[in-house]
Structure formats: C-alpha cells, structure tokens
Amino acid sequence: MDYRLLGNSGTAVSSLTLGTMTFGSEADEPTSHAIIDAFVAAGGTLVDTADVYSGNESERIIGRWLQAHPTEAQQVVLATKGRFPQGDGPNDVGLSRRHLRVALDASLERLGVDHIDLYQMHAWDALTPIEETLRFLDDAVSAGKIGSYGFSNYLGYQVTKAVYEAKAHGWAPPVTLQPQYNLLVRDIEHEVVPACLDAGIGLLPWSPLAGGWLSGKYQRDEAPTGSTRLGEDPKRGMEAWEARNADERTWQVLDVVSSVADAHGASRSQVSLAWLLARPAVTSVILGARTVEQLQDNLGATDLVLDDAELTALTDASAPRVDDYPYGTAGVAQRERKIAGGR
C-alpha cells in the first residue's frame, strides 16, 4: 500500500480508502467487520463513513470495530460527514452551526471516539453563509474534536470561495474534496480539479468504478440481473442502466479498459483504479465493497503499474465531451501561452 499526505495537511493516509456506505445495508455487521479487517491487514488506514449511511448504522458498526480492535484502531485515520437530514425538523439538516454541532457530537458518540481526523461537509448548503460553516469547523479544530475538514460534491467556485474565506479570517483551511470521479465521469477536470490543485486540496474520489460499470460486470444490451446494484435497481441514480448502455462512449472506454487489463492479467477494476490513482490531485481513492472478495480484488490496484501509453489510451478514450468553448480547443487556447511570446 502506498501512502500520501491528506491534501495540504501533514497526515499520511493510504492511497486507497475504505468507503463504508454498504455497511449496515448491503453488508451486515460480521461482513463489514471482516472487510475492515482485510483492509487494515493490507496496510489501509483511511476509513470513510457518513452519518447518513444506512441511517447512522455505518458509524455504529465502525465504532464497535474500533472498540474491539484498540491496537489496530491506532493506525486508522477516521473520516465522516455531516449535512444531510438527521430528523424532520428545519434545523436537522444543512451546514448551519446549530445542525453541525449536533451532527458532529452524534457522530463522535456513534463512533465511540472523542476525535475525528477528517470531518467533511457532505454537500453545499446554499442557505447557510459559508462563514458560519467555516467558523464552526475552525472552532471544532481548536476544540480538538476534529483534526481537519473537507468537502464533498462542491463545485470549483465553491471550493475556491471556502479556501479564501478561511484564509481571510485566519481559520483552518480545508484539506480535501470528495467528488465523483472515474473513467466515465470526468467533468470535474474542467473546474474542480484546477481549483483543488491551486489550493493544494487532495481529491478523495468516490464511485471510482462508476457504480460497477468499470468492473466489467455488465454486458452490452443485456439488462443486468441478480445481486448487483443495477440488477436489483436498473434505474439506480447516475449509473442507471439504460442511459449508459445506450451511450457509445461507455463501451469505447470499457473496450480500452479490457485491453489493458488483458495485457497485464489484471481485473478491469484494478485497471480503472490504477488510472485514477495516477490522476493529478488525487490523494486516495474510495473503495466501496459488499464482500471481502470484492475488496481484495480492488486492493490489487496498488500493485498495478500502467505505462505512459496505457494511461494515454485510457485518458483519450474517456475524454469528456465538450463544446469548443470554454472547455474545448478554442477555450483552452485562451488560457495558455508560450514563454517566448506569441500565441
């Protein structure tokens, strides 16, 4: 397992993160604990959860594992999130000081700890002034309740606004951002990735296998069945079956992934994860697994080294579709120049 700094902080974390959205829903507690065991045994350190996962149960399952494994727990870098509804009241949701104070204390209690290494805002809140959120987070750092903080699902301008508001007030800066990022979803490269690179913020990509599409488990024009996410719910969220199956780009990307995987004797998942690990600003890639076997296969990505030609082939095949301006050739040309002058 490789280790990298957690964004612009001094905390080192494993290059693969254990995502635990499946805990308490798609994976029962014994299976969830076995998954944590396997992750830690492989050298994994960063464990990511959220209060909203499985109706708080993911945090409780992790908390019971931490209590049962005090020695191993010392190496775990613990991350959770707050923002989504924790009740029906108007103040039971959002990034207000009132809600975050209650949400953070509740997460600490469920996890059985007095300190969370990385506390993340699960999504933007357009109703709460950003200064209110950032001041709460700075206070939480000062109080020792959290080590650092980050965001999830923020746009580029939102990241930049937070960075400079924190700097202007002398508050602790954000260190990470969790976006969806994978070979099928790359639009964050237009604005979000540059904003994070500018601020030294590390990316923690979620859904690195695009909801299972990049694992090679789905076949063209064959509707999924059985115990897979799309087999159980083919209209599930952004990875819904019909739209991606009908998109020629999906199969162009998967063809290149398969070709590279065959050349290495590796799985499609390992190739997709290895590509993502090589992207700019990526600190650690979040793995979500239902079983120990799925996790073990994904962990193999750390041993897979793709050469420049393979990385280029994957990058070219998955290039985001854009108009000529502002993200296409004409727009990019306006933002570049030669050091010697001229156009």
Side-chain angles (χ1 to χ4, degrees):
M1 184 73 70
D2 296 327
Y3 300 93
R4 304 175 179 184
L5 291 179
L6 188 64
N8 50 30
S9 79
T11 300
V13 297
S14 50
S15 59
L16 295 176
T17 296
L18 180 61
T20 63
M21 189 171 67
T22 60
F23 288 13
S25 55
E26 300 172 64
D28 61 20
E29 184 156 337
T31 301
S32 299
H33 283 187
I35 289 172
I36 302 175
D37 289 339
F39 178 70
V40 171
T45 61
L46 184 53
V47 176
D48 178 74
T49 187
D51 58 6
V52 75
Y53 291 167
S54 303
N56 305 147
E57 192 58 24
S58 176
E59 288 185 329
R60 293 190 183 96
I61 288 172
I62 294 169
R64 288 189 283 269
W65 184 91
L66 293 171
Q67 292 172 12
H69 301 79
T71 301
E72 294 89 341
Q74 292 179 12
Q75 298 303 317
V76 169
V77 179
L78 189 58
T80 192
K81 312 179 198 72
R83 192 285 198 180
F84 288 120
Q86 294 297 294
D88 296 326
N91 290 310
D92 294 335
V93 61
L95 300 183
S96 68
R97 175 179 286 273
R98 179 185 174 101
H99 176 64
L100 288 177
R101 176 181 58 80
V102 175
L104 175 56
D105 286 348
S107 287
L108 288 165
E109 182 177 357
R110 284 189 291 267
L111 290 163
V113 297
D114 59 11
H115 175 89
I116 290 168
D117 297 297
L118 178 65
Y119 193 51
Q120 301 155 104
M121 307 300 94
H122 213 154
W124 178 258
D125 178 0
L127 300 181
T128 301
I130 194 169
E131 295 87 352
E132 180 177 339
T133 302
L134 295 175
R135 181 58 189 270
F136 170 83
L137 293 167
D138 184 68
D139 288 346
V141 171
S142 297
K145 288 187 174 183
I146 66 174
S148 55
Y149 69 91
F151 307 122
S152 182
N153 304 309
Y154 275 39
L155 299 175
Y157 89 89
Q158 294 165 346
V159 170
T160 299
K161 184 174 183 177
V163 167
Y164 283 93
E165 285 290 346
K167 184 176 182 179
H169 291 281
W171 296 332
V175 302
T176 56
L177 174 72
Q178 266 198 46
Q180 181 179 191
Y181 192 21
N182 55 62
L183 278 163
L184 295 180
V185 181
R186 292 180 51 194
D187 285 346
I188 69 165
E189 293 175 8
H190 300 313
E191 297 283 354
V192 176
V193 172
C196 290
L197 286 170
D198 180 65
I201 287 176
L203 296 178
L204 305 176
W206 58 265
S207 195
L209 298 179
W213 280 91
L214 293 168
S215 70
K217 68 174 66 174
Y218 304 125
Q219 302 302 313
R220 191 167 194 165
D221 298 329
E222 295 181 16
T225 59
S227 58
T228 64
R229 290 181 179 177
L230 290 186
E232 296 167 353
D233 182 9
K235 297 184 182 298
R236 176 188 173 100
M238 289 174 278
E239 64 259 27
W241 162 255
E242 289 186 5
R244 279 198 173 152
N245 178 61
D247 189 344
E248 184 63 28
R249 175 175 173 269
T250 299
W251 304 106
Q252 291 174 351
V253 172
L254 287 171
D255 284 346
V256 178
V257 170
S258 296
S259 176
V260 174
D262 290 344
H264 285 271
S267 71
R268 278 63 176 160
S269 296
Q270 290 168 352
V271 169
S272 301
L273 294 169
W275 175 85
L276 195 51
L277 283 166
R279 301 303 292 167
V282 171
T283 286
S284 185
V285 174
I286 300 173
L287 308 177
R290 290 185 175 194
T291 67
V292 173
E293 290 73 24
Q294 286 179 344
L295 176 68
Q296 295 285 14
D297 177 74
N298 291 346
L299 290 173
T302 59
D303 297 322
L304 179 61
V305 179
L306 304 180
D307 63 31
D308 290 343
E310 291 167 331
L311 289 170
T312 298
L314 290 163
T315 301
D316 290 348
S318 63
R321 287 173 294 220
V322 294
D323 290 327
D324 202 33
Y325 186 89
Y327 301 123
T329 302
V332 171
Q334 306 301 317
R335 299 189 291 275
E336 294 182 349
R337 73 175 183 87
K338 299 176 181 178
I339 195 169
R343 295 189 65 84

